[in-house]
Amino acid sequence: FFLSLKLENKTKGKLQKQICQVVLDHFEKQYTAELGDAWSSVRDVLTSPWCWQHALLLNRFSPCPGLESSLAEQGYHPAFPAALPYLPKAFSCYIRAAPGRFPAQRHQPGKLKDYYLLNAASLLPVLALEVEDGEDVLDLCAAPGGKSVAILQCACPGHFHCNEYDDLRSRWLEQTIESFIPDALINLVMVSKLDGRKIGDLQPEFYDKVLVDAPCSNDRSWLFSADPQQAVLRLMQRKELSSLQFQLLRSAVKALRPGGSLVYSTCTLSKAENSNVINLLLNSCRDVMPVDISEMARGVSQEFTFLSGMQQHELLVLPQKGRAWGPMYVAKLKKISST
């Protein structure tokens, strides 16, 4: 009872966060133009935190007896159908139609957590990457570590490089990995604080799979910016993000072996940071080709709402009431021999 009361009070406190009007006005103009009629319902969810749904990614390294039956009693169900093109047996994520948040687990040194609370849409880039045992994998912008943890729920890489340039976020990443990955596997994981734009030159053609979950204009958090001046500054700097994203992608392509796969993702609706960046890369790199992910999108269409009219190598999850939330943009590419 005390836990649920504490959780309820904490949730109410979060719901009282004020929407930043300058950001909402900016989004209103941009996304009305880019999303058309879809923007109205998307805006309603983005501005209503009580609509947001948190999924649970279960930790295969710390099985918790009774957790799955307890989740089922509370209306949770597996988020991804077994019919997906790629869904490892150990990968287990639960979600429910009703909004709400399962209690978080505290970080305790030496003790593994049983589950990771996350936006279910953020697992789509990991499923699109299709990591297999023994592959060399790079998570280029890895903090806070949810996708790194998810990759390790799917497979056991031969070498797993998790990189995060920001010092504070890098420590967060290390703590996340420590919370979910047993000591026996920690030696597979290398955490670095390199400039992601330079990794391709430092480790050319080294990786089989690369995930670029790029820094972006995070629509959800920006809408609740506490400091209006900071919000204005963010919006002014927003145009520079696509340049950074493109440089990170160029680096990722260099780091890929021929035949290797690259997945790019963001948590913004912005076309400038999504399709436009991918199109620029495809037009400027002769050794990269798009990969069709429409089968995966069809497989999860019961849970997610996607923007229509996207190319087969990309998808954009639109936040909608009663659906697993986004935003989440995903695009998949493959490196071919340039000779």
Side-chain angles (χ1 to χ4, degrees):
F1 169 75
F2 290 111
L3 178 64
S4 61
L5 186 65
K6 185 178 177 184
L7 186 67
E8 187 181 333
N9 290 337
K10 191 175 179 183
T11 305
K12 281 181 180 175
K14 286 189 174 180
L15 299 189
Q16 288 169 0
K17 286 196 295 187
Q18 293 295 309
I19 292 169
C20 183
Q21 192 62 44
V22 67
V23 174
L24 183 58
D25 291 345
H26 183 90
F27 285 180
E28 192 79 44
K29 185 176 179 181
Q30 179 182 352
Y31 293 146
T32 297
E34 292 183 11
L35 303 178
D37 294 340
W39 167 240
S40 177
S41 56
V42 168
R43 180 192 57 217
D44 289 348
V45 176
L46 282 177
T47 56
S48 308
W50 53 90
C51 292
W52 303 357
Q53 297 158 297
H54 292 80
L56 286 85
L57 177 66
L58 304 194
N59 187 7
R60 67 174 172 137
F61 305 113
S62 179
C64 180
L67 177 58
E68 290 183 73
S69 58
S70 174
L71 288 170
E73 288 170 8
Q74 296 179 55
Y76 285 86
H77 62 270
F80 300 101
L84 282 182
Y86 173 85
L87 191 75
K89 286 183 180 177
F91 188 89
S92 185
C93 177
Y94 281 80
I95 196 166
R96 65 178 180 180
R101 184 167 182 155
F102 207 72
Q105 292 181 308
R106 290 184 180 277
H107 172 71
Q108 298 180 50
K111 187 179 188 313
L112 296 181
K113 292 185 180 182
D114 302 319
Y115 54 86
Y116 190 98
L117 290 174
L118 79 177
N119 171 355
S122 68
L123 295 173
L124 294 176
V126 173
L127 295 177
L129 196 60
E130 301 189 32
V131 175
E132 301 291 346
D133 289 347
E135 290 183 322
D136 295 320
V137 181
L138 169 63
D139 190 349
L140 193 68
C141 314
K147 293 181 181 66
S148 299
V149 166
I151 286 170
L152 289 164
Q153 302 304 312
C154 293
C156 187
H159 172 73
F160 189 24
H161 182 177
C162 300
N163 181 69
E164 177 54 51
Y165 185 50
D166 182 85
D167 190 58
L168 187 64
R169 287 172 61 82
S170 181
R171 290 200 292 274
W172 189 3
L173 169 65
E174 288 177 339
Q175 187 179 90
T176 301
I177 291 171
E178 182 187 323
S179 294
F180 287 91
I181 310 305
D183 290 342
L185 288 179
I186 287 289
N187 61 355
L188 291 177
V189 183
M190 183 183 86
V191 177
S192 68
K193 293 188 283 188
L194 300 169
D195 183 339
R197 295 169 293 185
K198 297 177 181 176
I199 286 180
D201 291 323
L202 294 170
Q203 296 179 305
E205 299 193 350
F206 188 85
Y207 297 98
D208 300 297
K209 303 282 171 69
V210 178
L211 174 63
V212 182
D213 185 44
C216 67
S217 50
N218 185 321
D219 295 347
R220 282 179 183 275
S221 65
W222 282 27
L223 267 172
F224 294 92
S225 301
D227 182 351
Q229 288 181 315
Q230 183 193 41
V232 171
L233 187 62
R234 277 176 169 173
L235 291 172
M236 287 171 60
Q237 295 172 336
R238 197 179 194 200
K239 295 173 185 175
E240 300 167 17
L241 281 168
S242 58
S243 174
L244 170 62
Q245 291 155 350
F246 178 72
Q247 291 173 64
L248 289 169
L249 277 170
R250 286 293 299 265
S251 176
V253 171
K254 288 180 184 177
L256 263 185
R257 293 177 179 135
S261 298
L262 160 68
V263 168
Y264 173 76
S265 61
T266 74
C267 53
T268 180
L269 297 161
S270 177
K271 190 175 181 181
E273 299 173 52
N274 294 338
S275 299
N276 290 3
V277 175
I278 291 296
N279 289 339
L280 181 60
L281 186 77
L282 288 169
N283 291 332
S284 60
C285 293
R286 288 185 296 175
D287 56 347
V288 175
M289 62 177 288
V291 177
D292 188 348
I293 56 172
S294 58
E295 188 181 348
M296 181 186 76
R298 280 193 299 272
V300 296
S301 60
Q302 294 299 309
E303 299 284 7
F304 300 97
T305 298
F306 298 108
L307 180 66
S308 59
M310 303 292 282
Q311 301 288 315
Q312 288 186 320
H313 62 272
E314 61 179 355
L315 57 85
L316 179 62
V317 178
L318 298 177
Q320 295 288 329
K321 285 180 181 172
R323 311 281 277 171
W325 44 287
M328 181 60 55
Y329 174 80
V330 184
K332 185 170 184 178
L333 309 171
K334 182 177 181 178
K335 185 173 184 177
I336 54 178
S337 177
S338 54
T339 54

